[in-house]
């Protein structure tokens, strides 16, 4: 970096990396806090002086409405803004982008969506009715329009990014992806597709990818892998390629797509990891389904008849899995270690080699294939735990089931991005459609 000119001895104060209003982390270039809407360029508020410190008498012995003299810390919301309640559990309607799987409390701050101060519909000056925005409406206050930078022109609240919460449903498959409660962006991605097999039968597929947070552009890596892998899988199946070979082809195509992102980087040396992600996919073709993966995203089999055993279909490319495989630690010991989730296989230019894992299964009964990132399976790690979490009607209501699984992860803490796809088996698709993400 070149030295600053002599005229610039004093740089302006840098914005904090943590919002002073709600403690939510944010990017250095953010103008407003994405959680509470605070203007990050404003100076921090001055702490109020207590009556005792100012030499003034208190309102009463206990302080009217006080807390007995102790300091209090206001709570804050880490979840994405919720401008409206979710559809009831019985509904399969798609939620708007940016909304959590749980409905907002009707008594909460977003309960009066569509009205201004005091619910009167007037602007903040009280001079008359505010003209309705012609474009998107703020999900926080329901009054202001949204500027080109993604902030409300009325209250300054950052609007949810499109990837913060996404849902998709095709005939025979559904998926949900959410930012979770701790991360400032969603670095997962998914793609769903149906394919017309030679002879007229249909195949249904889901691809789920988890961006490696310690790598550069993890969100771009997962999106590129999901799209390229899904497109390649559909194209291969429609050419008549066997499902296992089509899955390997898709994995290698996704690997190339993520590796190509590294070529887009500036030529000067940059000390950071290349874009990288994990990958897991499942495709249902007739009476067989095929699973392919690299990394620690997983696939599970959950039968309709819960008297039959569920199964985990994938083995993690991770430090913990290697320790268990080598007999050095039990599974419980390995996954309790801080190194447990260090992955040993991934898609990206930094990967020493690509070793696609592919397996085919032919269940004897109907059920669902659950394809997910570790943001979900961390809360239901074993096959039995996943079977307990999957709703009993998952095969007939895959989108509602995906939402339910997301809700379980958020209720458990939502410490990571959460993405889950639910594929009914046998496939319910009647025809082919284009891939979607």
């Amino acid at each position: 970096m070149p030295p600053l000119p002599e005229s610039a001895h004093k740089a302006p104060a840098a914005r904090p990396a943590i919002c002073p209003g709600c403690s939510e982390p944010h990017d250095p270039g953010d103008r407003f806090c994405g959680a509470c809407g605070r203007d990050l360029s404003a100076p921090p508020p001055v702490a109020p002086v207590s009556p005792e410190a100012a030499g003034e008498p208190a309102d009463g012995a206990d302080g009217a409405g006080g807390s007995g003299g102790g300091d209090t810390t206001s709570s804050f919301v880490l979840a994405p803004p919720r401008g409206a309640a979710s559809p009831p559990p019985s509904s399969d309607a798609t939620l708007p982008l940016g909304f959590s799987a749980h409905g907002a409390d009707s008594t909460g701050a977003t309960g009066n969506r569509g009205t201004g101060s005091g619910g009167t519909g007037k602007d903040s000056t009280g001079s008359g009715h505010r003209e309705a925005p012609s474009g998107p409406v703020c999900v926080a206050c329901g009054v202001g329009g949204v500027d080109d930078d993604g902030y409300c022109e009325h209250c300054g609240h950052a609007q949810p990014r499109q990837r913060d919460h996404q849902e998709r449903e095709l005939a025979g498959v559904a998926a949900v992806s959410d930012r979770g409660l701790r991360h400032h962006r969603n670095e997962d991605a998914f793609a769903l597709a149906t394919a017309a097999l030679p002879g007229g039968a249909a195949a249904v597929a889901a691809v789920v990818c988890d961006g490696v947070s310690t790598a550069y552009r993890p969100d771009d890596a997962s999106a590129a892998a999901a799209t390229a892998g899904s497109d390649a899988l559909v194209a291969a199946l429609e050419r008549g390629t066997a499902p296992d070979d089509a899955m390997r082809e898709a994995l290698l195509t996704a690997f190339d797509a993520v590796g190509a992102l590294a070529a887009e980087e500036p030529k000067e040396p940059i000390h950071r990891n290349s874009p990288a992600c994990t990958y897991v996919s499942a495709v249902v073709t007739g009476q067989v389904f095929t699973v392919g993966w690299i990394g620690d995203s997983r696939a599970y089999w959950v039968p309709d008849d819960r008297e039959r055993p569920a199964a985990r279909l994938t083995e993690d490319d991770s430090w913990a899995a290697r320790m268990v495989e080598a007999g050095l630690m039990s599974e419980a010991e390995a996954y309790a270690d801080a190194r447990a989730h260090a992955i040993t296989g991934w898609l990206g230019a930094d990967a020493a080699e690509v070793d696609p894992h592919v397996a085919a299964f032919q269940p004897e009964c109907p059920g669902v294939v659950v394809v997910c990132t570790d943001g979900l399976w961390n809360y239901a790690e074993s096959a039995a735990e996943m079977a307990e979490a999957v709703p009993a009607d998952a095969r007939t209501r895959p989108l509602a089931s995906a939402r339910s699984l997301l809700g379980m992860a958020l209720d458990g803490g939502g410490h990571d991005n959460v993405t889950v796809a639910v594929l009914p088996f046998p496939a319910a698709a009647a025809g082919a459609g284009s891939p979607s993400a």
Side-chain angles (χ1 to χ4, degrees):
M1 178 180 293
L4 293 174
E6 295 182 1
S7 59
H9 291 293
K10 186 177 181 180
R15 294 174 182 168
I18 300 295
C19 173
C22 68
S23 300
E24 174 79 355
H26 59 81
D27 295 330
D30 287 349
R31 293 167 46 199
F32 298 92
C33 175
C36 68
R38 180 186 178 86
D39 184 352
L40 297 174
S41 63
V46 179
V49 180
S50 66
E52 293 82 356
E56 299 176 2
D59 292 336
D62 296 328
S67 58
D71 292 337
T72 59
T73 302
S74 59
S75 62
F76 55 94
V77 178
L78 287 171
R82 302 169 185 172
S86 303
S90 60
S91 171
D92 280 339
T94 299
L95 292 172
L97 295 178
F99 294 108
S100 168
H102 295 274
D105 187 344
S106 60
T107 62
T110 61
N112 292 326
R113 180 176 177 143
T115 62
S117 177
T120 63
K122 297 183 179 181
D123 62 20
S124 58
T125 64
S127 59
H129 289 280
R130 169 181 289 272
E131 183 177 350
S134 58
V137 177
C138 174
V139 300
C141 70
V143 177
V146 179
D147 63 20
D148 293 339
D149 293 330
Y151 293 87
C152 174
E153 296 171 333
H154 175 62
C155 70
H157 202 294
Q159 303 303 291
R161 286 169 286 230
Q162 184 182 22
R163 283 181 67 170
D164 278 359
H165 183 90
Q166 291 184 301
E167 298 189 355
R168 189 76 176 183
E169 183 174 35
L170 299 179
V173 61
V176 174
S177 183
D178 193 89
R179 176 173 69 106
L181 305 181
R182 303 293 178 184
H183 284 250
H184 70 283
R185 65 179 176 182
N186 189 0
E187 296 170 353
D188 289 355
F190 70 83
L192 308 180
T194 58
L197 301 177
V204 183
V207 178
V208 168
C209 299
D210 184 354
V212 177
S213 295
T214 55
Y216 184 55
R217 297 171 62 190
D219 51 339
D220 291 339
S222 62
T227 300
S230 178
D231 290 348
L233 181 60
V234 168
L237 290 171
E238 292 187 341
R239 290 196 307 268
T241 306
D244 56 343
D245 291 333
M247 184 65 75
R248 289 189 183 89
E249 183 177 330
L251 280 160
L252 293 173
T253 301
F255 177 83
D256 291 340
V258 178
L261 296 178
E264 300 174 5
E265 299 305 307
K267 298 302 181 183
E268 61 269 17
I270 298 178
H271 299 290
R272 58 189 175 203
N273 296 329
S274 296
C277 68
T278 67
Y279 183 107
V280 63
S281 178
V283 58
V284 179
T285 52
Q287 298 303 308
V288 176
F289 66 82
T290 305
V291 176
W293 74 98
I294 296 177
D296 65 348
S297 293
R298 293 181 177 180
Y300 291 82
W301 164 251
V302 179
D304 278 359
D305 181 0
R306 299 305 164 85
E307 296 298 321
R308 293 175 177 263
R312 195 178 99 193
L313 307 174
T314 57
E315 290 293 336
D316 299 342
D317 290 319
S318 69
W319 180 91
R322 285 197 172 184
M323 293 299 102
V324 174
E325 183 180 8
L328 299 176
M329 303 175 76
S330 69
E331 188 167 357
E333 292 171 337
Y335 281 99
D337 193 282
R339 297 165 290 181
H341 291 278
I343 59 175
T344 57
W346 62 89
L347 303 181
D350 287 342
E353 61 180 358
V354 55
D355 181 21
H357 311 295
V358 177
F361 303 88
Q362 187 172 2
E364 298 178 349
C365 62
V368 294
V369 183
V370 176
V371 184
C372 62
T373 61
D374 60 349
L376 174 65
W377 67 252
N378 275 330
Y379 300 98
E381 187 170 330
S382 70
E385 290 171 328
M386 186 62 72
E388 184 177 355
V390 172
D393 59 353
R395 190 166 59 87
T396 57
R397 302 178 68 236
L399 179 55
S401 299
R403 289 175 180 163
S404 177
L405 291 169
L406 166 62
M408 177 201 68
L410 296 181
D411 289 343
H415 289 85
D416 199 354
N417 305 147
V418 184
T419 301
V420 55
V422 177
L423 292 89
F425 177 87
S434 60
S436 59

